[in-house]
Amino acid sequence: MPHFRTLVPAATVIALGGVLALAGCAPLAGSDAATEDAADGAAAVVDVAEQNTVSSQRLSAATAATAALAHCAADDLGSVSVAVVDRQGELQAFVRGDNAAQHTVEASRQKAYTAAAFGADTSDLVERADENGLHRLPGTLFMPGGVTVTVGDASIAGIGVGGAPSGVDDQSCAAAGLAAIADEIAG
């Protein structure tokens, strides 16, 4: 049987935009040295990848959303919407209270995103937004009613409430959603 040589070394490492991958297929059969070199190269790539991998934490968002809505309903503020978004602003959970107006849907999502993106409660960001013109950032809403969900120093999500008679009430309901998942976050 003829013996063929590969043109690409078995364990060539290629860096593309910071992502490492092995190039070349399997080493030639019967070549113990090539097999060992490929295994060493693969192990090196795995080590580098593990050192340069970022993990993200997520929460079970439904608990936060329903707890925030329940808090508003208990305070006779049931005409609100509650949104929970992840760090990137993707909607994870949403509940709309009875008689909540249409504008509360987007307001709750924007407050949640603003809290998650800036890693701070929106009530704490109002003055900063006024000073720096942050109001112009698309998809954000710098009004009370959004709370950040953090693990350690990292913001992992945001809870936003819109539709209560005041931003203070929205903020209180969002904080109740955060309190409902505090044990999950601390765990």
Side-chain angles (χ1 to χ4, degrees):
M1 178 166 190
H3 184 55
F4 296 98
R5 294 185 184 259
T6 60
L7 298 177
V8 178
T12 301
V13 177
I14 300 174
L16 300 172
V19 177
L20 296 177
L22 283 178
C25 300
L28 295 175
S31 173
D32 290 339
T35 302
E36 287 178 27
D37 288 347
D40 290 344
V45 170
V46 170
D47 287 344
V48 170
E50 286 177 358
Q51 293 170 7
N52 293 299
T53 300
V54 176
S55 64
S56 66
Q57 296 188 354
R58 297 178 68 118
L59 59 103
S60 56
T63 301
T66 55
L69 184 63
H71 181 82
C72 281
D75 287 350
D76 203 25
L77 305 169
S79 298
V80 301
S81 291
V82 181
V84 180
V85 301
D86 65 12
R87 177 74 172 97
Q88 290 75 33
E90 295 296 323
L91 190 63
Q92 300 300 300
F94 176 81
V95 290
R96 185 175 180 181
D98 296 337
N99 300 314
Q102 179 61 33
H103 73 279
T104 66
V105 173
E106 189 60 18
S108 65
R109 194 202 61 73
Q110 288 179 342
K111 289 178 184 183
Y113 171 66
T114 304
F118 284 84
D121 295 352
T122 55
S123 58
D124 297 335
L125 295 170
V126 174
E127 188 175 314
R128 188 167 127 193
D130 289 340
E131 293 171 358
N132 298 313
L134 295 174
H135 291 95
R136 292 186 294 270
L137 290 174
T140 59
L141 187 56
F142 293 91
M143 297 175 63
V147 297
T148 186
V149 180
T150 59
V151 173
D153 292 335
S155 172
I156 64 164
I159 304 168
V161 176
S166 75
V168 172
D169 292 330
D170 285 340
Q171 193 79 21
S172 173
C173 295
L178 180 60
I181 58 170
D183 289 338
E184 179 182 329
I185 296 167

